[in-house]
Amino acid sequence: HGTSHFFHLLLPPLFPWIMHDLGLRFTDVAFLTTVFFAVSGTGQALAGFAVDRVGALRMLLGAIALLAVSGVALGFAHSYAGLVVAAALAGAGLTVLLQGALATRWALALAALSLLPLLLWLAHTVVRPLRRLLRALESGVASYRDGDFSFGIVVRRRDELGALIEMHNALGAALRVQ
C-alpha cells in the first residue's frame, strides 16, 4: 500500500519543470493528476477480476512493466497529450499493482525499497531550483526593505511563479522611479 502512495506522488514533484518547459499552468497539471486517479480508480474492479484469472504474480509483473512504460512515456513526452498518456499509463499500472500485490507483499516491499533512492534524488533535484528562487525573492525583499531598489530577478518561467517574479521586478522598477 505504501508503494501506491509513492506512485501517487511520482508526477507532482515534476510539475514545476513540466510547467516551465511546456508553458502549462497549475490547472493543466492538476488535470494530469485527475487522469491518473480516474484511470486508477475505475480500473480497480476490473483488475480484481484479472487477478483471479491470471494470478497475483503475473499481475504484479505486469504492473511493474506498465509503470516502467509510463516512466519512459513521461520521459519522451514533449507535449501535453504525451503527459496525459503517461498519466493514464501510470494510473493503469497502479491499478494492477494494487491488485497484484495483495498476494505478494514481499515483492511490493522490495520494489518500494528499490525506488526510494530515486524518489529522494528526484525530490532533491526538483526542490533545489525552487529553494534558489525563493532565496532570490527573499534577498530582493530584504534589499527593498533596506532602500536598495536595484535588485531584479531574471524571469525564466511561464507560470504563476514567473508572474510573481515579474510583479517583484515591476515593484522594484516602480520604487526606483519614486
Side-chain angles (χ1 to χ4, degrees):
H1 186 79
T3 302
S4 70
H5 292 286
F6 166 79
F7 285 108
H8 291 171
L9 298 175
L10 188 61
L11 190 58
L14 299 174
F15 285 172
W17 286 340
I18 292 169
M19 291 169 65
H20 176 263
D21 291 346
L22 296 177
L24 302 176
R25 303 198 63 79
F26 280 105
T27 51
D28 299 325
V29 294
F31 181 72
L32 296 173
T33 305
T34 302
V35 168
F36 174 85
F37 283 111
V39 170
S40 177
T42 56
Q44 290 291 322
L46 299 174
F49 291 117
V51 166
D52 292 340
R53 293 207 178 259
V54 299
L57 184 59
R58 287 185 185 148
M59 290 296 287
L60 182 62
L61 294 175
I64 292 170
L66 268 173
L67 290 169
V69 168
S70 73
V72 170
L74 179 62
F76 284 106
H78 296 290
S79 68
Y80 187 66
L83 295 176
V84 172
V85 169
L89 286 170
L94 182 62
T95 296
V96 177
L97 180 73
L98 289 172
Q99 295 298 324
L102 293 176
T104 56
R105 294 214 183 265
W106 63 269
L108 186 60
L110 182 62
L113 288 175
S114 66
L115 292 172
L116 185 61
L118 174 64
L119 176 63
L120 293 174
W121 172 82
L122 184 62
H124 175 73
T125 304
V126 168
V127 169
R128 186 177 47 219
L130 292 175
R131 289 184 62 185
R132 195 175 309 131
L133 171 63
L134 291 175
R135 279 194 302 269
L137 285 169
E138 180 182 12
S139 296
V141 171
S143 294
Y144 294 169
R145 178 195 64 211
D146 297 337
D148 178 11
F149 307 123
S150 63
F151 191 88
I153 302 172
V154 176
V155 181
R156 294 188 179 126
R157 306 178 65 97
R158 296 178 302 198
D159 59 0
E160 287 84 353
L161 288 174
L164 177 63
I165 294 168
E166 288 174 357
M167 289 172 48
H168 176 271
N169 291 339
L171 174 63
L175 291 172
R176 278 191 297 275
V177 172
Q178 291 182 357

